[in-house]
Amino acid sequence: MRRLFGSVRARATLGATLVVAVALVAAGAAVLVSLRSNLIGEAGTQAERSARAVASELAAGTPYDKLSGLDGDDGPVQVLAEHRRLVAASEDLQRISGTDTGRVKPQPAAKPSGDDDDDDAEDVGEALEAGEISGETVFSNGSATIDGEAQDYRFAAVEVETHDRGRLTVYAGSPLSAEHGAVRTALTVMLIGFPLLLGVVAGVTWLVTRRALRPVEGIRREMAAITRSEDLARRVPEPDTHDEIARLASTTNETLAALETSVERQRRFVADASHELRSPIASLRTQLEVAAAHPELLDLDGAVEDTVRLQRLAADLLLLARLDAGERRGDTKVDLAGLAREAAEGRPGVTVDAEPVEVSGSRGQLGRVLANLLDNAERHARSAVTLSVRRAGDRAVAGVADDGDGVPEGDRERIFERFVRLDDARSRDDGGAGLGLAIARDVAVRHGGTLTAGRGPAGGALFELRLPLA
Protein backbone atom coordinates (compact mmCIF):
# COMPACT_ATOMS: atom_id res chain seq x y z
CA MET A 1 0.00 0.00 0.00
CA ARG A 2 2.84 2.37 0.84
CA ARG A 3 4.50 1.69 -2.52
CA LEU A 4 1.16 2.04 -4.32
CA PHE A 5 0.71 5.58 -2.97
CA GLY A 6 4.39 6.38 -2.83
CA SER A 7 4.18 9.02 -5.57
CA VAL A 8 2.80 12.54 -5.42
CA ARG A 9 0.63 11.76 -8.43
CA ALA A 10 -1.03 8.78 -6.72
CA ARG A 11 -1.58 10.69 -3.48
CA ALA A 12 -2.97 13.71 -5.33
CA THR A 13 -5.35 11.49 -7.29
CA LEU A 14 -6.49 9.67 -4.15
CA GLY A 15 -6.93 12.92 -2.25
CA ALA A 16 -8.92 14.60 -5.03
CA THR A 17 -11.10 11.51 -5.48
CA LEU A 18 -11.82 11.26 -1.75
CA VAL A 19 -12.68 14.95 -1.51
CA VAL A 20 -15.02 14.76 -4.49
CA ALA A 21 -16.55 11.53 -3.13
CA VAL A 22 -17.29 13.13 0.23
CA ALA A 23 -18.72 16.20 -1.49
CA LEU A 24 -20.89 14.07 -3.80
CA VAL A 25 -22.22 11.94 -0.93
CA ALA A 26 -23.04 15.04 1.11
CA ALA A 27 -24.64 16.79 -1.87
CA GLY A 28 -26.54 13.62 -2.85
CA ALA A 29 -27.87 13.14 0.65
CA ALA A 30 -28.95 16.79 0.76
CA VAL A 31 -30.68 16.45 -2.62
CA LEU A 32 -32.52 13.29 -1.58
CA VAL A 33 -33.64 14.81 1.71
CA SER A 34 -34.77 17.98 -0.02
CA LEU A 35 -36.53 16.08 -2.80
CA ARG A 36 -38.33 13.81 -0.36
CA SER A 37 -39.31 16.75 1.84
CA ASN A 38 -40.67 18.72 -1.12
CA LEU A 39 -42.65 15.78 -2.51
CA ILE A 40 -44.06 14.91 0.91
CA GLY A 41 -44.98 18.56 1.31
CA GLU A 42 -46.79 18.55 -2.04
CA ALA A 43 -48.60 15.35 -1.09
CA GLY A 44 -49.59 16.94 2.23
CA THR A 45 -50.88 20.03 0.43
CA GLN A 46 -52.96 17.87 -1.88
CA ALA A 47 -54.30 15.86 1.06
CA GLU A 48 -55.17 19.05 2.95
CA ARG A 49 -56.96 20.42 -0.10
CA SER A 50 -59.06 17.25 -0.34
CA ALA A 51 -59.78 17.23 3.41
CA ARG A 52 -60.91 20.86 3.41
CA ALA A 53 -63.10 20.27 0.38
CA VAL A 54 -64.94 17.48 2.23
CA ALA A 55 -65.03 19.63 5.40
CA SER A 56 -66.64 22.47 3.42
CA GLU A 57 -69.39 20.11 2.20
CA LEU A 58 -69.95 18.88 5.76
CA ALA A 59 -70.13 22.46 7.03
CA ALA A 60 -72.76 23.14 4.37
CA GLY A 61 -74.85 20.21 5.66
CA THR A 62 -74.19 17.75 2.84
CA PRO A 63 -75.24 14.21 3.83
CA TYR A 64 -72.56 11.60 4.17
CA ASP A 65 -73.67 9.62 1.16
CA LYS A 66 -73.57 12.74 -1.03
CA LEU A 67 -70.02 13.76 -0.24
CA SER A 68 -68.06 14.11 -3.47
CA GLY A 69 -64.70 13.12 -1.90
CA LEU A 70 -65.76 9.58 -1.02
CA ASP A 71 -65.45 8.19 -4.55
CA GLY A 72 -61.79 7.24 -3.84
CA ASP A 73 -60.43 8.82 -7.01
CA ASP A 74 -58.21 11.34 -5.17
CA GLY A 75 -57.32 9.05 -2.27
CA PRO A 76 -58.86 7.54 0.87
CA VAL A 77 -61.16 9.72 2.98
CA GLN A 78 -62.53 9.10 6.47
CA VAL A 79 -64.99 11.19 8.46
CA LEU A 80 -64.91 10.68 12.21
CA ALA A 81 -67.46 11.90 14.68
CA GLU A 82 -66.94 12.35 18.41
CA HIS A 83 -65.29 9.48 20.26
CA ARG A 84 -63.46 8.65 16.99
CA ARG A 85 -66.52 7.00 15.53
CA LEU A 86 -66.30 6.42 11.80
CA VAL A 87 -69.37 7.91 10.12
CA ALA A 88 -68.21 7.95 6.46
CA ALA A 89 -65.38 6.44 4.39
CA SER A 90 -64.29 6.17 0.78
CA GLU A 91 -65.80 3.55 -1.45
CA ASP A 92 -63.82 0.33 -1.86
CA LEU A 93 -61.61 1.21 1.16
CA GLN A 94 -60.47 -2.14 2.49
CA ARG A 95 -57.65 -1.34 4.95
CA ILE A 96 -56.15 1.84 6.39
CA SER A 97 -53.45 2.86 8.93
CA GLY A 98 -52.03 6.15 10.08
CA THR A 99 -55.35 7.76 11.08
CA ASP A 100 -57.19 7.76 14.41
CA THR A 101 -59.09 4.60 13.51
CA GLY A 102 -58.42 1.55 11.44
CA ARG A 103 -62.11 1.00 10.61
CA VAL A 104 -63.23 1.17 6.98
CA LYS A 105 -67.03 0.87 7.37
CA PRO A 106 -69.26 3.56 8.97
CA GLN A 107 -70.57 2.84 12.45
CA PRO A 108 -74.12 3.46 13.73
CA ALA A 109 -74.84 6.46 15.94
CA ALA A 110 -75.03 4.38 19.12
CA LYS A 111 -71.58 3.66 20.42
CA PRO A 112 -71.07 -0.08 20.35
CA SER A 113 -69.31 -1.96 23.10
CA GLY A 114 -66.79 -3.37 20.70
CA ASP A 115 -63.10 -4.11 21.07
CA ASP A 116 -61.88 -0.80 19.58
CA ASP A 117 -59.97 0.76 22.42
CA ASP A 118 -59.52 3.98 20.46
CA ASP A 119 -63.25 4.79 20.86
CA ASP A 120 -62.82 5.24 24.64
CA ALA A 121 -60.85 8.46 24.13
CA GLU A 122 -62.43 11.88 24.23
CA ASP A 123 -61.76 14.32 21.41
CA VAL A 124 -60.38 17.66 22.49
CA GLY A 125 -59.84 20.48 19.96
CA GLU A 126 -60.08 24.21 19.48
CA ALA A 127 -63.38 25.98 19.99
CA LEU A 128 -65.29 26.34 16.69
CA GLU A 129 -68.58 27.95 15.71
CA ALA A 130 -71.21 25.93 13.89
CA GLY A 131 -70.27 25.68 10.22
CA GLU A 132 -66.67 26.72 10.93
CA ILE A 133 -63.64 24.79 9.72
CA SER A 134 -60.49 24.62 11.87
CA GLY A 135 -57.47 26.47 10.58
CA GLU A 136 -55.11 23.82 11.94
CA THR A 137 -54.13 20.75 9.96
CA VAL A 138 -52.53 17.65 11.42
CA PHE A 139 -50.39 15.55 9.07
CA SER A 140 -49.40 11.90 9.37
CA ASN A 141 -48.09 9.10 7.20
CA GLY A 142 -49.79 5.75 6.73
CA SER A 143 -51.06 3.27 4.19
CA ALA A 144 -54.38 2.25 2.69
CA THR A 145 -55.75 -0.48 0.46
CA ILE A 146 -58.37 0.64 -2.06
CA ASP A 147 -59.93 -1.89 -4.41
CA GLY A 148 -57.12 -4.34 -3.73
CA GLU A 149 -54.29 -1.85 -4.36
CA ALA A 150 -52.15 -0.92 -1.36
CA GLN A 151 -50.14 2.32 -1.26
CA ASP A 152 -48.46 4.67 1.17
CA TYR A 153 -50.27 7.94 1.79
CA ARG A 154 -49.78 11.34 3.37
CA PHE A 155 -52.86 12.08 5.52
CA ALA A 156 -54.21 15.48 6.49
CA ALA A 157 -56.74 15.82 9.34
CA VAL A 158 -59.07 18.85 9.47
CA GLU A 159 -61.81 19.46 12.06
CA VAL A 160 -65.18 21.03 11.22
CA GLU A 161 -68.08 22.06 13.49
CA THR A 162 -71.44 21.19 11.85
CA HIS A 163 -74.91 22.50 12.72
CA ASP A 164 -76.58 19.16 13.43
CA ARG A 165 -73.87 16.49 13.63
CA GLY A 166 -71.43 18.03 16.09
CA ARG A 167 -67.72 18.16 15.55
CA LEU A 168 -66.35 15.98 12.78
CA THR A 169 -62.80 15.20 11.75
CA VAL A 170 -61.98 14.66 8.11
CA TYR A 171 -58.99 12.53 7.11
CA ALA A 172 -57.90 12.70 3.47
CA GLY A 173 -54.90 10.99 1.96
CA SER A 174 -52.67 11.76 -1.00
CA PRO A 175 -50.50 8.96 -2.45
CA LEU A 176 -46.73 9.01 -1.85
CA SER A 177 -45.99 6.89 -4.89
CA ALA A 178 -44.57 9.92 -6.74
CA GLU A 179 -42.27 10.65 -3.81
CA HIS A 180 -41.08 7.07 -3.60
CA GLY A 181 -40.58 6.85 -7.34
CA ALA A 182 -38.69 10.14 -7.56
CA VAL A 183 -36.43 9.26 -4.61
CA ARG A 184 -35.70 5.81 -6.05
CA THR A 185 -34.95 7.28 -9.46
CA ALA A 186 -32.66 9.93 -8.00
CA LEU A 187 -30.90 7.32 -5.85
CA THR A 188 -30.43 5.04 -8.86
CA VAL A 189 -29.00 7.91 -10.90
CA MET A 190 -26.61 8.77 -8.07
CA LEU A 191 -25.49 5.18 -7.59
CA ILE A 192 -24.72 4.94 -11.30
CA GLY A 193 -23.45 8.45 -11.90
CA PHE A 194 -21.31 8.97 -8.82
CA PRO A 195 -18.85 6.14 -9.55
CA LEU A 196 -18.57 7.30 -13.16
CA LEU A 197 -17.96 10.87 -12.02
CA LEU A 198 -15.38 9.72 -9.49
CA GLY A 199 -13.65 7.73 -12.22
CA VAL A 200 -13.54 10.82 -14.43
CA VAL A 201 -12.18 12.93 -11.54
CA ALA A 202 -9.52 10.33 -10.76
CA GLY A 203 -8.50 10.02 -14.41
CA VAL A 204 -8.35 13.76 -15.03
CA THR A 205 -6.41 14.32 -11.79
CA TRP A 206 -3.97 11.56 -12.73
CA LEU A 207 -3.37 13.00 -16.20
CA VAL A 208 -3.15 16.62 -15.04
CA THR A 209 -0.81 15.72 -12.19
CA ARG A 210 1.37 13.66 -14.51
CA ARG A 211 1.59 16.55 -16.95
CA ALA A 212 2.31 19.02 -14.14
CA LEU A 213 5.00 16.82 -12.58
CA ARG A 214 6.68 15.88 -15.84
CA PRO A 215 9.18 18.78 -15.53
CA VAL A 216 9.94 17.65 -11.96
CA GLU A 217 10.87 14.23 -13.27
CA GLY A 218 13.09 15.90 -15.87
CA ILE A 219 14.77 17.91 -13.11
CA ARG A 220 15.26 14.74 -11.06
CA ARG A 221 16.80 12.82 -13.96
CA GLU A 222 19.17 15.66 -14.78
CA MET A 223 20.20 16.05 -11.14
CA ALA A 224 20.88 12.31 -10.97
CA ALA A 225 22.99 12.57 -14.12
CA ILE A 226 24.91 15.54 -12.69
CA THR A 227 25.55 13.59 -9.48
CA ARG A 228 26.86 10.61 -11.42
CA SER A 229 29.01 12.65 -13.79
CA GLU A 230 30.15 15.21 -11.15
CA ASP A 231 29.86 17.81 -13.91
CA LEU A 232 28.61 20.89 -12.11
CA ALA A 233 28.58 22.89 -15.36
CA ARG A 234 25.37 21.11 -16.42
CA ARG A 235 21.97 22.64 -15.67
CA VAL A 236 18.48 21.24 -15.25
CA PRO A 237 15.80 22.12 -17.84
CA GLU A 238 13.63 25.13 -17.02
CA PRO A 239 10.02 24.81 -18.26
CA ASP A 240 8.47 27.88 -19.85
CA THR A 241 5.43 27.79 -17.54
CA HIS A 242 6.26 30.62 -15.08
CA ASP A 243 4.87 28.56 -12.19
CA GLU A 244 6.27 27.00 -9.01
CA ILE A 245 8.03 24.22 -10.92
CA ALA A 246 9.72 26.74 -13.21
CA ARG A 247 10.87 28.68 -10.16
CA LEU A 248 12.10 25.43 -8.61
CA ALA A 249 14.17 24.70 -11.74
CA SER A 250 15.54 28.24 -11.75
CA THR A 251 16.49 28.02 -8.08
CA THR A 252 18.09 24.61 -8.68
CA ASN A 253 20.20 26.06 -11.48
CA GLU A 254 21.20 28.98 -9.25
CA THR A 255 22.20 26.47 -6.57
CA LEU A 256 24.22 24.48 -9.09
CA ALA A 257 25.93 27.66 -10.27
CA ALA A 258 26.77 28.65 -6.70
CA LEU A 259 28.00 25.12 -6.00
CA GLU A 260 30.12 25.15 -9.15
CA THR A 261 31.59 28.50 -8.15
CA SER A 262 32.27 27.25 -4.63
CA VAL A 263 33.92 24.04 -5.84
CA GLU A 264 35.98 25.92 -8.39
CA ARG A 265 36.96 28.44 -5.75
CA GLN A 266 37.94 25.61 -3.41
CA ARG A 267 40.01 23.93 -6.11
CA ARG A 268 41.72 27.21 -6.93
CA PHE A 269 42.26 27.85 -3.24
CA VAL A 270 43.91 24.46 -2.77
CA ALA A 271 46.09 24.97 -5.86
CA ASP A 272 47.10 28.48 -4.83
CA ALA A 273 47.75 27.38 -1.25
CA SER A 274 49.93 24.54 -2.48
CA HIS A 275 51.85 26.97 -4.70
CA GLU A 276 52.31 29.48 -1.88
CA LEU A 277 53.42 26.81 0.57
CA ARG A 278 55.90 25.30 -1.88
CA SER A 279 58.20 28.33 -2.01
CA PRO A 280 58.91 28.85 1.74
CA ILE A 281 59.11 25.10 2.33
CA ALA A 282 61.53 24.61 -0.57
CA SER A 283 63.63 27.59 0.54
CA LEU A 284 63.70 26.38 4.15
CA ARG A 285 64.63 22.85 3.06
CA THR A 286 67.43 24.16 0.87
CA GLN A 287 68.87 26.22 3.69
CA LEU A 288 68.69 23.27 6.08
CA GLU A 289 70.35 20.92 3.58
CA VAL A 290 73.14 23.45 2.96
CA ALA A 291 73.55 23.93 6.70
CA ALA A 292 73.75 20.19 7.20
CA ALA A 293 76.60 19.91 4.70
CA HIS A 294 78.27 23.25 5.47
CA PRO A 295 77.25 24.61 8.88
CA GLU A 296 79.30 27.75 8.32
CA LEU A 297 77.00 28.70 5.39
CA LEU A 298 73.75 28.58 7.44
CA ASP A 299 71.58 31.67 6.79
CA LEU A 300 69.85 31.71 10.16
CA ASP A 301 67.99 34.98 9.56
CA GLY A 302 66.64 33.72 6.24
CA ALA A 303 65.53 30.45 7.80
CA VAL A 304 63.73 32.28 10.57
CA GLU A 305 62.11 34.61 8.04
CA ASP A 306 60.91 31.67 5.93
CA THR A 307 59.58 29.93 9.04
CA VAL A 308 57.69 33.04 10.15
CA ARG A 309 56.25 33.52 6.65
CA LEU A 310 55.21 29.88 6.61
CA GLN A 311 53.59 30.27 10.02
CA ARG A 312 51.65 33.37 8.92
CA LEU A 313 50.50 31.66 5.75
CA ALA A 314 49.31 28.63 7.70
CA ALA A 315 47.43 30.90 10.12
CA ASP A 316 45.78 32.73 7.21
CA LEU A 317 44.74 29.47 5.58
CA LEU A 318 43.36 28.20 8.87
CA LEU A 319 41.34 31.40 9.38
CA LEU A 320 39.94 31.20 5.85
CA ALA A 321 38.97 27.58 6.44
CA ARG A 322 37.15 28.57 9.64
CA LEU A 323 35.36 31.41 7.87
CA ASP A 324 34.29 29.13 5.01
CA ALA A 325 33.02 26.62 7.57
CA GLY A 326 30.72 29.30 8.98
CA GLU A 327 32.51 30.22 12.19
CA ARG A 328 30.26 32.38 14.37
CA ARG A 329 31.35 35.97 14.54
CA GLY A 330 30.12 36.52 18.10
CA ASP A 331 27.98 39.35 19.48
CA THR A 332 30.42 41.02 21.85
CA LYS A 333 30.45 44.82 21.93
CA VAL A 334 33.77 46.04 20.59
CA ASP A 335 35.23 49.56 21.00
CA LEU A 336 36.41 50.10 17.44
CA ALA A 337 38.45 53.19 18.38
CA GLY A 338 40.32 51.32 21.11
CA LEU A 339 40.87 48.38 18.76
CA ALA A 340 42.31 50.75 16.16
CA ARG A 341 44.80 52.19 18.65
CA GLU A 342 45.89 48.69 19.66
CA ALA A 343 46.39 47.71 16.00
CA ALA A 344 48.48 50.83 15.32
CA GLU A 345 50.60 50.45 18.42
CA GLY A 346 54.27 49.86 17.63
CA ARG A 347 53.89 50.88 13.98
CA PRO A 348 56.01 53.96 13.20
CA GLY A 349 54.50 56.34 10.70
CA VAL A 350 50.88 55.37 11.50
CA THR A 351 48.64 58.22 12.66
CA VAL A 352 45.39 57.37 14.49
CA ASP A 353 42.36 59.70 14.51
CA ALA A 354 39.50 57.84 16.22
CA GLU A 355 36.30 58.86 17.95
CA PRO A 356 34.54 56.44 20.37
CA VAL A 357 32.20 54.08 18.55
CA GLU A 358 31.01 50.55 19.36
CA VAL A 359 30.15 47.66 17.05
CA SER A 360 29.09 44.05 17.65
CA GLY A 361 31.21 41.10 16.64
CA SER A 362 34.42 39.20 17.25
CA ARG A 363 37.16 41.34 18.71
CA GLY A 364 39.84 39.01 17.39
CA GLN A 365 38.48 38.96 13.83
CA LEU A 366 37.95 42.72 13.67
CA GLY A 367 41.44 43.28 15.06
CA ARG A 368 42.76 41.01 12.30
CA VAL A 369 40.99 43.16 9.68
CA LEU A 370 42.60 46.38 10.94
CA ALA A 371 46.01 44.67 11.20
CA ASN A 372 45.76 43.36 7.63
CA LEU A 373 44.77 46.79 6.32
CA LEU A 374 47.66 48.43 8.16
CA ASP A 375 50.10 45.78 6.87
CA ASN A 376 48.93 46.43 3.33
CA ALA A 377 49.17 50.21 3.76
CA GLU A 378 52.67 50.06 5.25
CA ARG A 379 53.79 47.83 2.38
CA HIS A 380 52.76 50.41 -0.24
CA ALA A 381 53.08 53.75 1.60
CA ARG A 382 55.98 56.13 0.97
CA SER A 383 56.10 57.63 4.43
CA ALA A 384 52.71 58.02 6.17
CA VAL A 385 49.65 55.89 6.99
CA THR A 386 46.47 57.28 8.56
CA LEU A 387 43.92 55.19 10.50
CA SER A 388 40.64 56.95 11.25
CA VAL A 389 37.46 55.82 13.04
CA ARG A 390 34.22 57.81 12.87
CA ARG A 391 30.47 57.48 12.99
CA ALA A 392 28.41 57.89 9.77
CA GLY A 393 24.66 57.57 10.42
CA ASP A 394 23.98 54.06 11.70
CA ARG A 395 27.42 52.83 10.64
CA ALA A 396 30.88 52.89 12.07
CA VAL A 397 33.55 53.69 9.47
CA ALA A 398 37.21 52.74 9.84
CA GLY A 399 39.49 54.13 7.10
CA VAL A 400 43.11 53.25 6.34
CA ALA A 401 44.84 55.62 3.91
CA ASP A 402 48.43 55.78 2.67
CA ASP A 403 50.47 58.14 0.49
CA GLY A 404 51.60 55.48 -1.97
CA ASP A 405 50.73 55.01 -5.64
CA GLY A 406 47.19 53.81 -4.88
CA VAL A 407 45.21 50.99 -6.50
CA PRO A 408 44.24 51.25 -10.16
CA GLU A 409 40.50 51.59 -10.56
CA GLY A 410 40.24 48.40 -12.59
CA ASP A 411 41.88 46.37 -9.81
CA ARG A 412 39.90 47.72 -6.83
CA GLU A 413 37.70 44.63 -6.70
CA ARG A 414 40.20 42.07 -7.92
CA ILE A 415 42.57 42.75 -5.02
CA PHE A 416 40.01 41.26 -2.61
CA GLU A 417 40.20 37.86 -4.29
CA ARG A 418 42.29 35.18 -2.63
CA PHE A 419 45.97 34.89 -3.65
CA VAL A 420 45.67 37.94 -5.92
CA ARG A 421 48.64 40.35 -5.86
CA LEU A 422 49.31 43.19 -8.20
CA ASP A 423 52.44 42.97 -10.38
CA ASP A 424 54.50 45.29 -8.17
CA ALA A 425 53.74 43.19 -5.10
CA ARG A 426 54.51 39.73 -6.43
CA SER A 427 58.00 39.39 -5.13
CA ARG A 428 58.50 37.38 -2.00
CA ASP A 429 60.04 40.31 -0.17
CA ASP A 430 57.60 43.07 -1.17
CA GLY A 431 54.28 41.27 -1.04
CA GLY A 432 52.44 38.74 1.08
CA ALA A 433 50.53 35.68 -0.08
CA GLY A 434 47.58 37.72 -1.32
CA LEU A 435 45.28 36.65 1.52
CA GLY A 436 45.22 39.68 3.81
CA LEU A 437 42.62 41.72 1.92
CA ALA A 438 40.56 38.62 1.12
CA ILE A 439 40.41 37.75 4.81
CA ALA A 440 39.53 41.34 5.70
CA ARG A 441 36.60 41.46 3.29
CA ASP A 442 35.29 38.03 4.37
CA VAL A 443 35.30 39.15 8.00
CA ALA A 444 33.61 42.44 7.11
CA VAL A 445 30.82 40.70 5.18
CA ARG A 446 30.25 38.17 7.98
CA HIS A 447 29.85 41.11 10.39
CA GLY A 448 27.16 42.64 8.18
CA GLY A 449 29.49 45.31 6.81
CA THR A 450 31.48 46.21 3.70
CA LEU A 451 35.11 46.78 2.77
CA THR A 452 35.91 48.89 -0.27
CA ALA A 453 39.01 50.34 -1.90
CA GLY A 454 39.29 53.86 -3.26
CA ARG A 455 41.57 56.86 -3.60
CA GLY A 456 42.87 58.52 -0.43
CA PRO A 457 43.38 62.25 0.30
CA ALA A 458 47.15 61.95 -0.27
CA GLY A 459 46.69 60.19 -3.61
CA GLY A 460 47.32 56.69 -2.29
CA ALA A 461 44.92 53.90 -1.49
CA LEU A 462 42.01 54.32 0.91
CA PHE A 463 40.33 51.25 2.42
CA GLU A 464 37.04 51.88 4.23
CA LEU A 465 35.49 49.34 6.60
CA ARG A 466 31.81 50.03 7.34
CA LEU A 467 30.09 48.10 10.14
CA PRO A 468 26.65 48.40 11.80
CA LEU A 469 26.67 50.15 15.15
CA ALA A 470 26.14 48.03 18.24
Side-chain angles (χ1 to χ4, degrees):
M1 182 64 69
R2 178 174 296 180
R3 296 188 63 183
L4 179 62
F5 297 104
S7 66
V8 175
R9 180 169 49 183
R11 291 196 296 270
T13 301
L14 177 62
T17 304
L18 289 177
V19 170
V20 174
V22 172
L24 288 178
V25 170
V31 169
L32 290 178
V33 170
S34 177
L35 177 63
R36 185 173 183 275
S37 176
N38 290 336
L39 292 176
I40 289 178
E42 291 180 5
T45 301
Q46 180 63 36
E48 182 181 12
R49 188 180 298 115
S50 299
R52 290 192 176 277
V54 174
S56 298
E57 294 179 357
L58 292 172
T62 304
Y64 296 136
D65 57 352
K66 300 296 184 181
L67 295 175
S68 60
L70 300 182
D71 53 12
D73 294 338
D74 295 331
V77 175
Q78 285 182 317
V79 180
L80 276 64
E82 296 179 353
H83 307 292
R84 300 178 182 175
R85 180 171 56 88
L86 181 66
V87 295
S90 297
E91 299 175 0
D92 301 323
L93 179 61
Q94 299 171 342
R95 186 178 293 106
I96 191 170
S97 65
T99 61
D100 276 351
T101 180
R103 298 182 182 276
V104 296
K105 297 299 182 181
Q107 299 171 254
K111 181 181 178 182
S113 58
D115 56 357
D116 189 355
D117 295 336
D118 290 342
D119 292 345
D120 295 336
E122 294 291 337
D123 292 327
V124 180
E126 63 177 311
L128 299 174
E129 299 290 339
E132 184 181 359
I133 300 174
S134 173
E136 296 182 358
T137 304
V138 179
F139 294 98
S140 62
N141 292 333
S143 62
T145 301
I146 301 177
D147 197 17
E149 182 179 356
Q151 291 191 59
D152 291 330
Y153 287 89
R154 178 71 167 170
F155 291 104
V158 177
E159 294 184 344
V160 57
E161 187 73 30
T162 60
H163 293 277
D164 54 351
R165 288 170 287 189
R167 177 169 298 192
L168 302 176
T169 303
V170 180
Y171 282 89
S174 179
L176 293 175
S177 57
E179 178 264 336
H180 293 332
V183 171
R184 282 195 297 269
T185 301
L187 183 59
T188 301
V189 170
M190 291 179 184
L191 291 177
I192 296 175
F194 282 8
L196 296 178
L197 182 58
L198 290 178
V200 171
V201 170
V204 171
T205 304
W206 181 270
L207 295 176
V208 170
T209 307
R210 182 178 67 177
R211 182 178 180 85
L213 294 178
R214 188 177 300 163
V216 177
E217 179 61 22
I219 294 173
R220 187 201 65 79
R221 286 197 300 267
E222 186 62 25
M223 286 296 293
I226 293 173
T227 302
R228 288 192 301 268
S229 65
E230 298 182 357
D231 182 8
L232 296 178
R234 298 174 61 174
R235 297 293 181 266
V236 300
E238 296 187 21
D240 189 20
T241 54
H242 305 289
D243 56 6
E244 291 83 355
I245 296 178
R247 291 194 290 272
L248 171 64
S250 176
T251 303
T252 301
N253 284 334
E254 292 175 0
T255 303
L256 287 173
L259 184 60
E260 180 186 15
T261 301
S262 177
V263 171
E264 182 61 29
R265 181 182 180 184
Q266 192 69 21
R267 289 173 180 171
R268 190 167 59 248
F269 175 77
V270 172
D272 291 340
S274 301
H275 175 74
E276 292 294 333
L277 288 170
R278 186 184 300 118
S279 296
I281 290 177
S283 175
L284 184 59
R285 177 180 178 179
T286 300
Q287 294 182 56
L288 293 176
E289 289 177 348
V290 170
H294 305 282
E296 70 279 3
L297 298 179
L298 175 63
D299 184 7
L300 187 58
D301 293 338
V304 172
E305 181 180 350
D306 285 338
T307 303
V308 172
R309 183 167 181 264
L310 188 61
Q311 182 183 11
R312 290 177 179 175
L313 180 58
D316 288 344
L317 294 176
L318 181 59
L319 177 57
L320 284 174
R322 292 203 309 266
L323 292 176
D324 289 340
E327 182 181 60
R328 296 177 61 87
R329 64 179 180 87
D331 294 321
T332 306
K333 288 187 177 181
V334 179
D335 180 9
L336 195 58
L339 195 63
R341 295 187 184 93
E342 291 180 10
E345 187 176 355
R347 296 176 184 263
V350 177
T351 303
V352 179
D353 180 15
E355 64 178 68
V357 60
E358 286 188 341
V359 297
S360 295
S362 169
R363 180 179 180 85
Q365 292 183 10
L366 293 177
R368 184 65 175 274
V369 171
L370 296 179
N372 287 358
L373 294 179
L374 289 174
D375 289 341
N376 180 77
E378 287 180 328
R379 187 178 299 119
H380 297 89
R382 292 189 177 92
S383 60
V385 175
T386 302
L387 172 57
S388 62
V389 177
R390 58 187 173 84
R391 182 193 302 264
D394 61 346
R395 295 271 168 167
V397 181
V400 178
D402 61 67
D403 59 353
D405 295 331
V407 181
E409 188 172 353
D411 295 326
R412 290 177 182 174
E413 280 299 316
R414 193 170 68 89
I415 58 175
F416 292 106
E417 298 178 8
R418 297 177 181 182
F419 298 105
V420 170
R421 290 170 294 181
L422 301 184
D423 293 339
D424 62 350
R426 284 196 174 274
S427 71
R428 174 184 162 193
D429 296 331
D430 294 336
L435 295 177
L437 295 180
I439 292 174
R441 170 163 280 189
D442 279 356
V443 172
V445 171
R446 292 179 188 277
H447 281 72
T450 60
L451 178 61
T452 57
R455 186 176 182 84
L462 171 62
F463 290 88
E464 283 192 337
L465 172 66
R466 294 179 178 267
L467 298 172
L469 294 176

